[in-house]
Amino acid sequence: MSQITFTFDGQDITCDQTSSVAAALTQAGHRAFRKTEGDAPRGIFCGMGVCQDCLVTIDGRPNQRACMTPAAGGLQVQTQSARPALTKPQDRTLTPHRLTPRVLVIGGGAGGLNAAIAAAESGAETVLLDERKVSGGQYFKQDADPTRDPLDAQQRAGRDLVTAAYAAGVTLIQSAEVWGAFDGPEIMATSPEAVYAIRPERLIVATGAYERPATIPGWTLPGVMTVGAAQTLWRSYRTLPGRRVALFGNGPLVAQVAAELVSGGAEVVCLAEAAPAPWSRPVAALDMVRRDPALAVKGLGLLSKLARNGVRVSHDTLPEQIEQAGDVLRVTYRQNGTLKTVKADAVCLNFGFQPQNEILRLLGARMSYDAQFDQLRVDRSPDCETSVPQVYAIGDCCGLGGAPAAAVEGRIAGRAAASDEAQPTPADLSLRARHGKFQDALWRVYAADRPLPEDAPPETLICRCEEVSKATLDAALADDPLDIGALKRATRIGMGRCQGRYCAPVVAGIMARRQGRPLEDLSYFAPRIPIKPVEIAAITAAETLLDAEQTPDA
Amino acid sequence: MLEPDLLIIGGGITGQCAALVAADAGAMVTIVDMQRNAGSHANAGSLHVQMQSRFLRLNPHLADNLESSLPLYMSAVAEWQALDAALGGVELTQQGGLMLADTPAQLDFLHQKAAREQKKGLDVEILYRDTLHRLAPWLSPHVVGAELCRNEGKLNPLIANRKMREALTARGVRFVQDQITHITDGPRPIAHGAQNYPAGAVLIASSWGGGQLAQPLGLRIQTPPEPLHMNITEAGAYEIQHLVQHAERPITLKQFRSGQVVIGGGWQANLARDDSAAPAIKPDSLLGNVALAARIAPGIGGLRVLRTWAGYNTPVDGKTTVGAVRDGGRVFVGLPGDAGYTLGPVVGRMAANAVLSLPQAVDPEPYSPARWRA
Ligand SMILES: Cc1cc2nc3c(=O)[nH]c(=O)nc-3n(C[C@H](O)[C@H](O)[C@H](O)COP(=O)(O)OP(=O)(O)OC[C@H]3O[C@@H](n4cnc5c(N)ncnc54)[C@H](O)[C@@H]3O)c2cc1C
Ligand SMILES: Cc1cc2nc3c(=O)[nH]c(=O)nc-3n(C[C@H](O)[C@H](O)[C@H](O)COP(=O)(O)OP(=O)(O)OC[C@H]3O[C@@H](n4cnc5c(N)ncnc54)[C@H](O)[C@@H]3O)c2cc1C
Ligand code: FES
């Protein structure tokens, strides 16, 4: 593998040529990438382009996400200041494209790839947009270096799926991030070389999920990241988040990633699960095993591998606070009522998932609140169509269902979008139902009580982007804001770069409980364009496209 | 509930300022608001004074009208200065507003405009290339000059709205959430919603919801909402101190103290899909508005657009309407018309003064609802 060299604040960084800027900096021991308005250091948090905390200046262009930007020889990377000077960046050529395919799929994970393949095989002209450089999504998480051997069967299966998509004739556009969804639907996306305005006849949204962390003091410190961010560093870039790693979370992903990091040479100093041990819930556990024995066996294998490496899951355990202690992070956590501490280079958090349903909400798709998972889920017909005609939704962006369920839904929606006559096959429908029952059983095993955000200490940052503390939130709540919009305007909670992805679920819940109202779509911040911050250069390039067309008024 | 001296329909900047003046004069005030699409929650905080050149070019026959309103705009700024002091700071700055010209012809036009405005007492000056670019180094080299209007400025509406609400609460003003459907006129008028609200006087300060309430009382006034588009970027160094407009193109551009650049200027949005939704963004407005801003101020090109939103503006006929619906009646209207956030405080004060029969600092006659009477 050939190596490249770039500079970070003037210092040479050498890395694999397929590395991301974030992975290269992490490998070189850097944790802090930017400074906030309040002068706090920040670094990688989500690892998937959502949190906007990994910003750096690259060759004079401010606010580039290190986790989504490939490293390249000769780049000049600098720590991002909170307020870059207003200097005109170097001109870039972004080629504008107008596309009008029969089917547009957004997201190249298990759901999106299967949908695109099914649509293309049914004869529809199909375009798939994926913001990652290499498609596959979260489950198949591909290696950024295509020449490296896949880590395991899962990664190999993903590679095969991408190959199958090409073979089926899908137009696969990678590194293209969708930032706009307008009535029509009209979709806007940007890649490093091009901008796209796409008006498909049918739209399939397959944008997956992002992770729910723990809103506790210290959750914004560099080195604290989501479990998925650590997984991406390892699986896509063969980089460890740190040598000594502590993981806290809820659900099977946490132990799985712990095992992956161990095999990469990390020392897992703490593996904490919020739920009680499965053997304390034998009925639910047996039901889960019965519904998918193979997966259950895989899980047991994982745990025994961890045990061989001296890692044991600590159940009934929740993190309470993270502090910087010299070069390392110190986590205070509560295990079965007892306070303990552990020191680590990296602390990984995952307390469930949030559907990435921004596009669906923008288009006005009807949503229902799911109390078990504490999130909005889009309403769908049996063939995965939403309440907006010709807009389909599949996979984790409808609520976590796992990769196999996303794949079946993809096949169902892909065929339906390609042809109005297509009906879901009974086999697909029953497969989908089976996966659903397995997920139900799984999350009954992992059901865990979590402290309410109302009880968080006053210094806890509720909104990590705008650095708004629990104390400020409480002061604003004392004025009885009418709705979450009023609260947002009063406190700036939700006004930052992540568009409220981390604070919205927290404050929506707090508001609903205060007002004794059930949660609904309106309990959350109103969806806004852009879905993710978009460069002005991209807007300028896209404008030429609409200008040339003289779009008639909708 | 005790019957208030004044019931105000609409809790935007106009209604709130009327409430503040009336409460300070000792009146008991209640504000009823349905909490839907207030322009005051969507606006960009530009304090406009100089004549909008686009309007002049499109409606040369209305130039005199516009010119005659200039004193009102100056009082409006004075009113905001007083509010800034009374509320303990709303990030009001008065570095002035720049109206840019790309061509000698545009600059000529600004010259003539400035001469008329100077006669009305505005503090205006034409800046040529070198002076201008020293003042605003982030501007495009294409800009050949500008009119600087020192009366103009900007403020942060998020802060103003929050502090206003606190000030009213401290003065005992009551807030009720309800939708008023009609008003019974009389010596003690009644506003009807889910509840009935009898009061000593009723003020209609409900912008796009105003026409519907005023028409049955004999005013032929239409107040259709005009959905407008806004953009905001992430923060950059605070370098754009002026309110920036253009002699020919629809744009307002400025920077909040937070470092965020706010871009607007009257680009259209779509009406809300349904009652619970906000007005929807049009892609051509977003692209056109931001691309224009980046051509004028290439220095912002390194920032990303963080968010867009749309809100309801209520220009009516472009001119303020304030006063009693009928002579001697107890139902009043307060509709600022165009640049309504600038004018809201002064219109609110004029409305409160009319209700309480207090002396007026600005002659309300030209803005009387009489022009709408059947
Ligand atoms: C962080 C994380 C780690 C996970 N790890 C595992 C695991 O190890 N094992 C396991 O069994 N399950 C795992 N899961 C769950 C599992 O990955 C999912 O159930 C499965 O991948 C769902 O497939 P999907 O197609 O719905 O979404 P995903 O696989 O998440 O794919 C969504 C795709 O959409 C793209 N996308 C999203 N927004 C945009 C946009 N605006 N523009 C363009 N593209 C966009 C994303 O980049 C991604 O490629 C994980 C989930 C997450 C969130
Ligand atoms: C995007 C945008 C940007 C703007 N930028 C600027 C700017 O930079 N500078 C400037 O000077 N102006 C600007 N304006 C115009 C300005 O915002 C408005 O003119 C001004 O806020 C109007 O204030 P208001 O108090 O009269 O009405 P609003 O703020 O619109 O408030 C009216 C209130 O009445 C309520 N209501 C309506 N009907 C009823 C009913 N039947 N019963 C009960 N309540 C009712 C509504 O809920 C609302 O709260 C902008 C407008 C928009 C939309
Ligand atoms: S870590 Fe890069 S955006 Fe979150």
Side-chain angles (χ1 to χ4, degrees):
Chain A
M1 156 89 335
S2 55
Q3 302 271 296
I4 52 163
T5 300
F6 66 88
T7 62
F8 180 55
D9 292 338
Q11 186 191 332
D12 277 355
I13 306 278
T14 300
C15 63
D16 287 352
Q17 78 175 14
T18 53
S19 182
S20 68
V21 170
L25 292 179
T26 303
Q27 184 81 61
H30 294 283
R31 291 287 177 278
F33 297 2
R34 77 172 184 109
K35 282 287 182 71
T36 65
E37 182 75 21
D39 211 31
R42 293 282 170 86
I44 302 181
F45 181 65
C46 71
M48 56 181 284
V50 161
C51 76
Q52 307 277 335
D53 253 337
C54 63
L55 301 180
V56 287
T57 297
I58 301 181
D59 289 346
R61 274 168 63 213
N63 298 331
Q64 307 295 305
R65 282 169 300 174
C67 73
M68 300 296 278
T69 309
L75 291 184
Q76 289 186 3
V77 180
Q78 285 165 298
T79 296
Q80 182 60 55
S81 65
R83 297 195 183 192
L86 301 190
T87 31
K88 181 178 186 296
Q90 279 203 332
D91 277 331
R92 275 187 309 150
T93 314
L94 292 169
T95 314
H97 296 283
R98 156 65 75 195
L99 306 177
T100 51
R102 162 78 187 191
V103 178
L104 171 67
V105 181
I106 305 176
L113 284 168
N114 276 289
I117 292 169
E121 284 178 347
S122 310
E125 183 197 352
T126 304
V127 173
L128 185 149
L129 292 179
D130 191 14
E131 67 198 351
R132 307 289 322 191
K133 199 175 94 180
V134 188
S135 290
Q138 296 290 3
Y139 176 76
F140 295 120
K141 207 161 270 181
Q142 292 298 285
D143 198 318
D145 179 358
T147 63
R148 248 183 325 230
D149 274 343
L151 273 173
D152 46 31
Q154 193 171 326
Q155 213 168 41
R156 181 167 291 117
R159 197 168 71 177
D160 294 346
L161 196 58
V162 175
T163 310
Y166 281 116
V170 174
T171 305
L172 196 58
I173 305 176
Q174 287 162 335
S175 303
E177 182 171 80
V178 172
W179 56 264
F182 304 87
D183 288 349
E186 167 127 44
I187 299 297
M188 302 265 171
T190 305
S191 78
E193 298 87 30
V195 294
Y196 300 89
I198 309 181
R199 221 177 280 133
E201 285 171 46
R202 304 283 185 277
L203 174 66
I204 302 179
V205 180
T207 43
Y210 67 103
E211 295 167 271
R212 181 188 281 242
T215 309
I216 55 174
W219 71 298
T220 55
L221 289 169
V224 180
M225 65 186 79
T226 65
V227 168
Q231 187 187 39
T232 301
L233 280 174
W234 173 242
R235 289 185 75 86
S236 294
Y237 304 108
R238 304 285 169 96
T239 297
L240 292 171
R243 204 181 58 74
R244 292 162 55 89
V245 184
L247 299 94
F248 293 83
N250 179 216
L253 178 67
V254 192
Q256 184 189 322
V257 172
E260 290 170 4
L261 296 177
V262 164
S263 62
E267 183 188 345
V268 169
V269 293
C270 180
L271 171 52
E273 166 58 53
W279 47 90
S280 68
R281 292 171 167 158
V283 179
L286 274 177
D287 186 39
M288 177 183 77
V289 173
R290 188 172 63 83
R291 293 190 185 279
D292 197 336
L295 213 59
V297 169
K298 200 171 151 193
L300 282 176
L302 206 95
L303 292 180
S304 63
K305 178 183 165 190
L306 280 167
R308 279 197 304 280
N309 284 279
V311 182
R312 263 170 231 291
V313 184
S314 142
H315 287 279
D316 268 320
T317 305
L318 283 169
E320 297 213 332
Q321 175 180 335
I322 309 170
E323 295 155 292
Q324 191 75 49
D327 283 348
V328 298
L329 297 163
R330 181 175 55 229
V331 190
T332 307
Y333 61 98
R334 194 177 290 276
Q335 181 181 11
N336 260 324
T338 314
L339 273 188
K340 300 186 173 175
T341 62
V342 64
K343 285 183 178 172
D345 301 321
V347 178
C348 305
L349 307 170
N350 174 303
F351 290 87
F353 300 86
Q354 290 289 342
Q356 303 211 72
N357 50 23
E358 304 82 16
I359 294 173
L360 298 167
R361 291 185 73 215
L362 270 171
L363 295 176
R366 203 165 47 238
M367 297 277 158
S368 301
Y369 177 71
D370 181 305
Q372 186 191 352
F373 291 98
D374 183 26
Q375 59 192 215
L376 290 178
R377 294 191 163 197
V378 63
D379 293 356
R380 292 182 293 169
S381 68
D383 62 0
C384 300
E385 195 171 16
T386 67
S387 66
V388 182
Q390 278 130 40
V391 175
Y392 298 78
I394 56 171
D396 281 1
C397 70
C398 313
L400 194 84
V408 190
E409 292 181 7
R411 284 199 297 277
I412 294 173
R415 289 195 206 108
S419 146
D420 295 337
E421 280 78 55
Q423 293 292 330
T425 65
D428 276 347
L429 286 178
S430 78
L431 194 59
R432 188 179 166 200
R434 218 187 80 205
H435 293 313
K437 291 208 175 99
F438 171 74
Q439 284 289 324
D440 278 354
L442 174 76
W443 290 104
R444 270 203 305 282
V445 173
Y446 278 100
D449 283 335
R450 298 208 29 218
L452 288 176
E454 281 87 332
D455 301 328
E459 72 275 18
T460 316
L461 288 184
I462 298 292
C463 171
R464 55 186 292 131
C465 299
E466 295 292 316
E467 304 180 272
V468 186
S469 68
K470 173 70 170 22
T472 306
L473 169 65
D474 285 339
L477 287 172
D479 288 341
D480 261 329
L482 188 89
D483 55 26
I484 195 167
L487 184 69
K488 176 179 178 174
R489 290 190 296 267
T491 59
R492 299 190 64 86
I493 288 180
M495 287 198 180
R497 292 187 175 98
C498 88
Q499 319 286 41
R501 280 175 173 84
Y502 295 103
C503 58
V506 173
V507 291
I510 292 177
M511 287 286 285
R513 284 186 290 273
R514 274 176 66 89
Q515 301 180 329
R517 285 197 206 156
L519 279 129
E520 51 168 344
D521 196 18
L522 288 175
S523 310
Y524 294 80
F525 297 129
R528 298 276 195 227
I529 291 170
I531 293 157
K532 295 179 187 166
V534 57
E535 286 190 36
I536 287 181
I539 291 182
T540 309
E543 191 222 9
T544 58
L545 205 63
L546 288 201
D547 253 10
E549 285 173 7
Q550 297 274 328
T551 23
D553 268 2
Chain B
M1 175 170 95
L2 227 56
E3 200 173 298
D5 303 311
L6 173 59
L7 181 99
I8 300 176
I9 307 166
I13 191 68
T14 312
Q16 289 194 327
C17 287
L20 191 73
V21 172
D24 279 343
M28 208 164 71
V29 183
T30 297
I31 293 179
V32 188
D33 193 297
M34 65 190 276
Q35 302 287 347
R36 292 281 307 137
N37 286 325
S40 302
H41 286 159
N43 89 98
S46 310
L47 288 184
H48 291 290
V49 178
Q50 60 179 313
M51 295 191 280
Q52 309 286 305
S53 54
R54 227 175 123 257
F55 183 87
L56 284 180
R57 283 172 175 276
L58 293 174
N59 313 287
H61 57 291
L62 293 179
D64 289 347
N65 257 353
L66 193 61
E67 205 169 350
S68 65
S69 292
L70 285 177
L72 185 65
Y73 281 91
M74 290 205 285
S75 321
V77 171
E79 195 70 44
W80 266 115
Q81 284 168 328
L83 260 186
D84 184 51
L87 298 179
V90 296
E91 288 187 6
L92 177 83
T93 54
Q94 259 188 290
Q95 300 285 354
L98 290 172
M99 191 170 285
L100 309 177
D102 289 338
T103 63
Q106 288 172 2
L107 199 57
D108 265 359
F109 164 79
L110 290 179
H111 256 297
Q112 291 163 29
K113 184 169 91 77
R116 295 175 76 163
E117 288 166 342
Q118 217 152 21
K119 282 204 201 106
K120 289 283 174 185
L122 269 66
D123 186 353
V124 293
E125 185 188 340
I126 297 293
L127 304 179
Y128 295 94
R129 185 189 283 278
D130 292 353
T131 327
L132 176 63
H133 285 267
R134 258 198 310 280
L135 198 66
W138 37 266
L139 274 176
S140 155
H142 295 125
V143 180
V144 300
E147 178 184 351
L148 169 65
C149 172
R150 292 200 182 78
N151 311 84
E152 291 194 315
K154 59 189 176 185
L155 59 94
N156 187 330
L158 285 175
I159 296 178
N161 292 338
R162 178 167 53 78
K163 292 199 171 170
M164 189 63 161
R165 170 96 189 200
E166 286 165 12
L168 293 176
T169 307
R171 284 165 175 75
V173 171
R174 289 194 58 229
F175 292 89
V176 181
Q177 190 191 357
D178 199 351
Q179 175 174 8
I180 301 303
T181 52
H182 62 285
I183 298 166
T184 307
D185 200 352
R188 295 198 72 75
I190 307 170
H192 305 274
Q195 312 260 328
N196 293 331
Y197 306 92
V202 168
L203 170 63
I204 303 171
S206 49
S207 64
W208 48 267
Q212 205 192 333
L213 298 175
Q215 283 151 18
L217 305 177
L219 295 188
R220 283 187 312 197
I221 190 170
Q222 303 279 338
T223 55
E226 178 192 31
L228 292 186
H229 176 95
M230 291 296 314
N231 315 276
I232 191 162
T233 70
E234 50 194 348
Y238 182 63
E239 293 175 30
I240 305 180
Q241 274 139 24
H242 299 87
L243 166 64
V244 181
Q245 299 183 80
H246 195 274
E248 212 158 61
R249 308 295 314 273
I251 183 126
T252 61
L253 185 153
K254 62 185 169 294
Q255 206 172 5
F256 282 158
R257 278 300 166 89
S258 65
Q260 294 179 283
V261 180
V262 188
I263 302 166
W267 293 70
Q268 299 299 307
N270 289 321
L271 287 172
R273 209 179 271 131
D274 58 57
D275 238 26
S276 63
I281 300 298
K282 287 162 74 91
D284 28 351
S285 285
L286 162 56
L287 301 180
N289 197 182
V290 174
L292 175 59
R295 276 197 289 278
I296 287 174
I300 67 170
L303 304 177
R304 296 176 300 171
V305 172
L306 197 57
R307 201 157 9 257
T308 62
W309 69 92
Y312 283 169
N313 186 33
T314 312
V316 200
D317 61 344
K319 196 171 151 186
T320 295
T321 303
V322 62
V325 167
R326 59 181 169 84
D327 284 333
R330 299 305 296 154
V331 181
F332 297 78
V333 283
L335 299 169
D338 220 15
Y341 202 72
T342 305
L343 293 176
V346 75
V347 173
R349 176 176 295 277
M350 288 161 81
N353 286 344
V355 170
L356 303 172
S357 307
L358 296 171
Q360 296 280 11
V362 179
D363 177 14
E365 184 48 36
Y367 312 104
S368 156
R371 69 182 188 278
W372 302 112
R373 285 182 196 143

